[in-house]
């Protein structure tokens, strides 16, 4: 019995020592990151910060956290925020956002409210914290500010390819997405529901380097190859689906092939012209060409169209549809 008691006390002392060592490391790492950001001109402040959770957890919790990056003009103000992890599994982190918080871009300020917003991150052990898997989920999201928007549910996922550190599988699913009123007015979205019923994305993307802590500190990894398995948007009677196989150059210009499927494509074309995505002078030419293609399928309101991206333009056969989007992460 005496020996058992000695063993229990020894285990308790060793584990307590490990927890103190680990929690001190977490604190030093976070405070060091905040100090480094301030040295670069960031705002990185909090009214309080603590590491709690003894004996089984390592929970980092902030009150009054404010972060602002002068390079991008992005900033966030969180009344509470926390990273939560098991002390024996420190590379698996849960992040939980408050029910209401503010953030701003260089020219706008917003407030986001949510029923629940959290993320799960799994990183490789080490100082770089290279991302292996991440998932963000949210419900009851409502954005207020210069523009209002929202979503009933949101799920974002990112998983590293075990065989190629720079490659990630990306997924998105959002339901009942309400766009800003100014945007729907600009699109001239007549006779459409207020919310997009579903947005979906499934893609494999190869970046210039893996996503890690340095991706937040300095330049973001940039996509260089995109295998888009499915991008889908359903909005009332409109349905748009896209798949693509693209390479992206150093300037962010994509080239490759894509397959576009659209239901009620004429209304989409009108909306693209209204938004400025398609030049008005090209609309008639595009409509005639796409109308011929749609007519061949037997359904003049539906398109199943191969596209080519080259020379900074998007082409449907010999018909130029407009400039290719620049794919660059700020």
């Amino acid at each position: 019995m005496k020996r058992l008691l000695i063993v229990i006390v020894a285990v308790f002392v060793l584990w307590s020592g490990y927890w103190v060592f680990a929690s001190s490391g977490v604190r030093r790492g976070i405070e060091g990151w905040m100090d480094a950001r301030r040295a670069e001109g960031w705002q990185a402040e909090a009214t309080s910060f603590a590491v709690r959770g003894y004996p089984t957890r390592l929970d980092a919790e902030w009150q009054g956290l404010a972060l602002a990056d002068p390079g991008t003009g992005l900033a966030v103000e969180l009344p509470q925020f926390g990273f939560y992890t098991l002390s024996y599994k420190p590379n698996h982190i849960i992040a939980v956002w408050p029910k209401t918080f503010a953030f701003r871009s260089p020219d706008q300020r917003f407030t986001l409210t949510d029923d629940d917003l959290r993320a799960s991150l799994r990183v490789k052990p080490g100082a770089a914290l290279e991302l292996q898997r991440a998932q963000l989920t949210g419900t009851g999201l409502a954005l207020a500010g210069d523009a209002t928007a929202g979503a009933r549910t949101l799920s974002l996922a990112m998983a590293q390819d075990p065989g190629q550190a720079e490659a990630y599988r990306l997924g998105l699913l959002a339901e009942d997405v309400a766009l800003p009123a100014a945007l729907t007015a600009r699109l001239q979205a007549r006779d459409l529901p207020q919310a997009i019923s579903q947005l979906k994305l499934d893609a494999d993307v190869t970046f210039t380097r893996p996503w890690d802590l340095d991706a937040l500190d300095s330049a973001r990894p940039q996509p260089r190859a995109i295998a888009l398995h499915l991008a889908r948007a359903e909005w009332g009677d409109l349905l748009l689906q896209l798949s693509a196989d693209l390479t992206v150059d150093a300037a962010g210009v994509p080239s490759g092939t894509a397959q576009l499927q659209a239901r009620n494509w004429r209304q989409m074309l009108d909306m693209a012209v209204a938004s400025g995505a398609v030049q008005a002078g090209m609309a008639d030419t595009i409509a005639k060409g796409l109308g011929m293609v749609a007519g061949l399928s037997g359904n003049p309101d539906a398109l199943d169209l191969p596209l080519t991206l080259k020379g900074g333009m998007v082409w449907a056969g010999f018909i130029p549809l407009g400039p290719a989007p620049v794919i660059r992460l700020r």
Side-chain angles (χ1 to χ4, degrees):
M1 188 68 176
K2 183 178 179 181
R3 290 181 178 178
L4 178 59
L5 182 60
I6 292 173
V7 170
I8 292 173
V9 171
V11 169
F12 173 78
V13 171
L14 289 172
W15 184 260
S16 297
Y18 163 76
W19 190 91
V20 170
F21 175 79
S23 63
S24 298
V26 169
R27 174 180 286 277
R28 285 195 305 271
I30 291 173
E31 290 179 343
W33 185 88
M34 299 276 280
D35 290 341
R37 301 292 73 71
R38 284 191 288 268
E40 293 175 356
W42 283 47
Q43 178 190 14
E45 302 171 349
T47 55
S48 67
F49 169 66
V51 179
R52 303 183 176 92
Y54 177 84
T56 60
R57 305 188 61 84
L58 291 168
D59 298 340
E61 294 180 323
W62 290 263
Q63 301 290 325
L65 177 62
L67 298 171
D69 178 4
T72 62
L74 300 177
V76 63
E77 299 171 4
L78 300 158
Q80 306 92 27
F81 184 67
F83 286 138
Y84 304 95
T85 186
L86 296 171
S87 54
Y88 53 86
K89 205 173 183 181
N91 65 319
H92 187 191
I93 304 163
I94 304 296
V96 179
W97 279 261
K99 300 296 184 184
T100 302
F101 62 94
F103 63 95
R104 68 178 186 269
S105 66
D107 55 357
Q108 293 180 315
R109 183 180 176 87
F110 301 95
T111 298
L112 182 69
T113 59
D114 61 87
D115 294 336
D116 183 67
L117 182 62
R118 62 185 61 216
S120 171
L121 300 95
R122 191 182 298 272
V123 297
K124 288 184 179 179
L129 298 181
E130 184 177 308
L131 180 65
Q132 291 181 305
R133 182 181 296 271
Q135 183 170 14
L136 182 145
T137 59
T139 58
L141 303 173
L143 185 69
D146 294 339
T148 59
R152 180 171 60 86
T153 64
L154 172 66
S155 178
L156 292 166
M158 185 174 184
Q160 188 180 47
D161 185 336
Q164 187 179 2
E166 301 84 5
Y168 291 84
R169 187 71 175 264
L170 306 181
L172 161 71
L173 179 62
E175 297 176 313
D176 295 336
V177 179
L179 299 177
L183 177 58
T184 56
R186 184 181 176 190
L187 292 172
Q188 299 181 12
R190 305 182 184 93
D191 304 321
L192 288 174
Q194 188 175 16
I196 298 173
S197 57
Q198 186 183 81
L199 294 174
K200 190 174 184 179
L201 174 74
D202 180 17
D204 284 294
V205 181
T206 302
F207 294 91
T208 50
R209 58 184 179 84
W211 283 83
D212 55 21
L213 191 60
D214 189 54
L216 299 177
D217 298 347
S218 55
R220 255 53 74 192
Q222 298 298 318
R224 288 295 174 260
I226 301 174
L228 178 61
H229 308 297
L230 176 67
R232 174 187 173 94
E234 189 169 359
W235 190 6
D237 293 331
L238 304 183
L239 175 65
L240 182 66
Q241 292 191 161
L242 182 69
S243 59
D245 189 5
L246 306 173
T247 58
V248 184
D249 66 18
V253 179
S255 60
T257 58
Q259 190 72 27
L260 175 72
Q261 295 174 317
R263 185 177 69 206
N264 292 328
W265 63 270
R266 294 181 188 276
Q267 185 176 359
M268 295 183 195
L269 179 58
D270 291 341
M271 293 166 66
V273 172
S275 69
V278 173
Q279 297 177 7
M282 295 292 297
D284 288 342
T285 302
I286 294 173
K288 289 177 182 178
L290 295 183
M292 292 176 59
V293 175
L296 294 174
S297 70
N299 184 352
D301 294 324
L303 279 175
D304 192 348
L305 185 65
L307 303 174
T308 302
L309 289 81
K310 62 179 180 180
M313 295 288 292
V314 181
W315 299 81
F318 59 87
I319 304 170
L321 299 183
V326 175
I327 304 174
R328 185 185 298 118
L329 303 180
R330 292 185 61 187

